Amino acid sequence: MALARPTLAAIRYGYGLRPGQDSPSDADGLMTQLAKGIAAKDRFPREGIVGRRETATRVISLRAAESKAAREGKPNESIRKETQREAQRIYRLDAMSRLAQAVHSPFGFYERLGSFWMDHFSTSALKSLPMRMIVPLYETEAIRPRMAGSFADLLKAAILHPAMLIYLDQDQSVGPDSRVAQESGRGLNENLGRELLELHTLGAGSGYTQEDVRAAALILTGLTVDNRALEMVYRPRRAQGGAITLLGREYQDDEAGSQDHMRMLEDLAADPRTAAHICRKLAAHFISDEPPADMTDVMVASWKASNGNLGEVYRAMLEHPLAWENPGQKIKQPFEFIVSGFRALNLPDDNMAALLADMEGDDDDVGPVGKAMQMAGTAKSAEQRRKRAGQANALTLGALQKMGQPIWQPPSPAGIPDKSDAWLTPGQLSERIDWSRRAARLLGQKLEPADFLQVALADAATPETRKIISQAPSKLHGLTMVLASPEFNRR
């Protein structure tokens, strides 16, 4: 069925409707959201970019000192446990901040693109203890500022960030004929070279060979991470010297600050196969699992005409007639579902922050779960504090974990599945119903089902769903069914 453009824009290109927030009705409005989002300050990392670098390098240095002492037979278990606790606490704060930003931001298209590109250039906070602090930094300093510029700039920022180099083991890779290899016996790691071609640029099945994967990995040798400065550095002693041929082009490493890796990334960004791969992936994310060829053709033409300017590619997609037709072709991923649920419930900004206090059992700053329990007369003992923490976690980070999309923890370098069949499973639907019931009970006490349906879906609600909600046997059941409805789970 046809939807009002503001409704479709909020659901397809943002994180859903929210009372009091206007939705755009055309490409210009969505592109304005993108520009304003890039100009705004992200909520994560919590202490800002400079502060996070200072925190991360301090924790990494402590870990390194403890590891050295342990190797010398003088382990310090308290330092090891304290750095683990601090890194996990920082991760939890950042993850809640990222969730809160998506819930409360008026720049839905910017937020959706942030998730898209973080998934495209996937890294995981589970790789190591430092990565719990580095991955949020990666998103806010490498990915988000460059989402409307040239793809070449975004590619270089993503691939050469410490988070990517650590995640795909580039910091362990050395050229087979390099000085370090000769002295240490270490060798080449092809992880980054492979994912660079298969996932980040050309795409699987685009015609590159295993020899090309090896060549890309060889060109990347010399790149590693300075843990003290938390920056990418080039070490000539680790680099493979001589000429290397990739996709028919020759790259020369002179072992003295070579920029052959930069030329390779620029060439890959300019390859027509990269344009086709990225444009199809964008359209498949926003429009349908099998996007219209006519739309992707227009996007590729815009890519070529603008030398890979992503803003122009988005505009070509958004100005295509099919961008505003056939709603509901995609199933929301778990993060999208939970964020859109909180938005529909109109969760206040301070309540999202207070959910973290509930998770930590802080009696000085009781959040929405604690208040609901107080109203029920059950928020007293230490056991109740633990129950409150469990409920808050089950609404937020724990729910995402159970649904299969924990924040900054993709299952592989390929990222989170983006096809409907990955999320249309009995287990997934059961988790969503459980979350809907919990959210309705704790956060929807003042809402009426019919009014909530209008707020959450507007004209996207079908007559069948309106009838079901009107006949709900209880308020809780009605609110739950709104969040669990097919329309709310699609975009």
Side-chain angles (χ1 to χ4, degrees), residues 178-450:
S178 69
R179 296 176 189 176
V180 169
Q182 294 167 9
E183 295 169 359
S184 68
R186 293 164 60 186
L188 182 69
N189 187 298
E190 296 182 355
N191 287 353
L192 183 55
R194 177 178 298 103
E195 309 307 358
L196 173 64
L197 301 184
E198 179 179 333
L199 301 177
H200 304 145
T201 58
L202 308 179
S206 58
Y208 65 87
T209 66
Q210 173 56 32
E211 287 73 22
D212 291 319
V213 169
R214 180 174 176 81
L218 289 170
I219 293 168
L220 290 166
T221 57
L223 302 180
T224 189
V225 177
D226 180 344
N227 285 330
R228 291 188 176 183
L230 208 58
E231 292 178 349
M232 182 276 287
V233 292
Y234 179 79
R235 305 291 191 203
R237 285 170 45 84
R238 303 165 64 102
Q240 181 76 1
I244 301 169
T245 300
L246 169 66
L247 300 170
R249 297 184 182 182
E250 187 175 280
Y251 298 87
Q252 181 73 39
D253 192 330
D254 59 11
E255 295 194 14
S258 173
Q259 293 293 300
D260 61 333
H261 60 277
M262 298 293 280
R263 292 192 294 274
M264 174 184 67
L265 294 175
E266 289 167 357
D267 289 342
L268 289 172
D271 193 297
R273 289 171 289 184
T274 296
H277 173 55
I278 302 298
C279 290
R280 189 187 187 285
K281 190 172 180 179
L282 275 164
H285 176 73
F286 284 102
I287 308 300
S288 67
D289 289 349
E290 299 298 330
D294 179 55
M295 173 182 281
T296 57
D297 288 346
V298 170
M299 294 167 68
V300 170
S302 180
W303 182 298
K304 181 178 179 180
S306 65
N307 294 318
N309 183 280
L310 293 171
E312 294 304 312
V313 174
Y314 306 147
R315 182 173 288 280
M317 175 181 71
L318 297 171
E319 290 183 344
H320 194 281
L322 292 177
W324 301 91
E325 297 178 6
N326 302 317
Q329 299 300 300
K330 298 286 293 187
I331 300 295
K332 293 177 181 177
Q333 295 175 353
F335 184 82
E336 297 167 357
F337 169 71
I338 288 176
V339 170
S340 59
F342 281 140
R343 286 177 62 82
L345 288 162
N346 203 22
L347 188 70
D349 202 345
D350 57 352
N351 274 19
M352 178 60 76
L355 275 169
L356 185 60
D358 280 333
M359 288 170 64
E360 297 180 344
D362 187 349
D363 283 331
D364 293 329
D365 189 12
V366 177
V369 174
K371 289 176 181 176
M373 293 177 68
Q374 286 175 350
M375 290 174 64
T378 60
K380 292 184 179 179
S381 65
E383 174 62 29
Q384 292 302 326
R385 285 197 296 273
R386 286 192 291 272
K387 183 177 179 181
R388 189 179 82 204
Q391 290 274 30
N393 185 60
L395 274 176
T396 55
L397 305 186
L400 288 167
Q401 182 80 42
K402 291 182 72 174
M403 291 182 192
Q405 196 181 7
I407 294 175
W408 295 311
Q409 296 177 31
S412 76
I416 297 294
D418 197 22
K419 286 206 168 187
S420 297
D421 57 7
W423 308 114
L424 271 178
T425 66
Q428 180 69 207
L429 296 177
S430 176
E431 291 293 343
R432 295 189 185 207
I433 292 171
D434 286 348
W435 186 90
S436 299
R437 185 181 298 111
R438 181 177 291 109
R441 184 178 73 251
L442 295 172
L443 306 174
Q445 300 97 330
K446 298 180 180 179
L447 301 174
E448 293 297 327

